[in-house]
Amino acid sequence: MKHFFFALMILGTLAARPATAQTAAPLEFSEQVTTEDLSRQVLQARVLDWAKNKFAFGPQTGLQSDPQAGTVRLNGIVKLKPLAANGKEREVTAQFQFTFQASDQGYNYSVGSFQVIPNAKEPTVLIPLDQYLTQLSTEKGIERTKNDRRVAAQANARANDVALSFRSYMNSMPSIEDGNVGIAASEQ
């Protein structure tokens, strides 16, 4: 009787697995960061500098900034590489949205709203990433290529790359007191 229930549990787990893969939540990376002694204007200026001079994901488009609200929004581009039917990688372009919101206590940001350009000949046709993943999961040979999981993992990695680039830049913000570093107390 134990073996029967054990086998039933394994079958139930296996049967539930494809359903959870198809109903995965949309991909998004977000974080809330607390800062001290930095105003909303200083944070927003720093983000605009990153967006205009250090943003490495694209050509970036749709840069919008609202100084009163402390927001910055822009779109970037990443490449994803599902496998073709012959087993070789093919490249598709995906667009994502970066959003930033500053307050006097810190800021929050997110990388998400991924949309895929499935056909390079029609760059204006965008489909949401979750819809694209569903299409991939219905392709012939999905058991061999596992394109849906491959592309989801790649999109997740690209979102983390954007977040890491942004946080690295924000963490390298010069301190107001940096002018005193290395100066002897008697010289001040």
Side-chain angles (χ1 to χ4, degrees), residues 126-142:
L126 299 167
I127 62 172
L129 180 64
D130 55 347
Q131 185 179 343
Y132 183 70
L133 294 175
T134 301
Q135 287 177 3
L136 289 177
S137 68
T138 61
E139 284 182 348
K140 185 177 178 180
I142 188 65

Side-chain angles (χ1 to χ4, degrees), residues 64 73-76 95-99 110-115:
Q64 300 172 352
R73 193 178 298 263
L74 63 99
N75 297 323
Q95 183 179 29
F96 66 89
Q97 187 174 70
F98 174 85
T99 58
S110 67
V111 179
S113 301
F114 279 84
Q115 295 183 322

Side-chain angles (χ1 to χ4, degrees), residues 8-183:
L8 191 60
M9 281 187 353
I10 290 175
L11 286 174
T13 304
L14 291 174
R17 236 173 115 197
T20 57
Q22 291 177 355
T23 60
L27 181 111
E28 182 174 317
F29 182 92
S30 62
E31 184 176 23
Q32 186 167 356
V33 180
T34 305
T35 60
E36 295 179 17
D37 302 328
L38 295 174
S39 70
R40 180 183 319 194
Q41 292 79 15
V42 169
L43 291 170
Q44 185 175 20
R46 184 75 174 166
V47 172
L48 283 172
D49 184 49
W50 175 75
K52 292 176 181 176
N53 301 316
K54 300 292 183 179
F55 189 78
F57 305 94
Q60 56 114 329
T61 59
L63 179 62
Q64 300 172 352
S65 175
D66 183 355
Q68 298 293 14
T71 61
V72 175
R73 193 178 298 263
L74 63 99
N75 297 323
I77 302 283
V78 293
K79 301 292 184 182
L80 304 174
K81 298 179 180 178
L83 290 179
N86 62 3
K88 293 185 179 181
E89 285 185 343
R90 56 188 164 116
E91 194 172 84
V92 294
T93 303
Q95 183 179 29
F96 66 89
Q97 187 174 70
F98 174 85
T99 58
F100 172 87
Q101 171 73 51
S103 69
D104 290 329
Q105 293 78 33
Y107 61 90
N108 58 46
Y109 68 96
S110 67
V111 179
S113 301
F114 279 84
Q115 295 183 322
V116 176
I117 302 170
N119 186 353
K121 294 177 182 174
E122 297 179 35
T124 58
V125 177
L126 299 167
I127 62 172
L129 180 64
D130 55 347
Q131 185 179 343
Y132 183 70
L133 294 175
T134 301
Q135 287 177 3
L136 289 177
S137 68
T138 61
E139 284 182 348
K140 185 177 178 180
I142 188 65
E143 288 303 316
R144 185 178 53 79
T145 63
K146 303 204 182 342
N147 268 337
D148 54 345
R149 289 188 259 170
R150 170 189 301 274
V151 170
Q154 289 173 8
N156 189 31
R158 296 301 83 76
N160 287 329
D161 290 346
V162 174
L164 182 63
S165 169
F166 174 70
R167 277 303 299 276
S168 175
Y169 187 74
M170 292 300 282
N171 288 342
S172 69
M173 186 179 303
S175 173
I176 296 171
E177 299 176 6
D178 276 352
N180 294 335
V181 174
I183 300 173

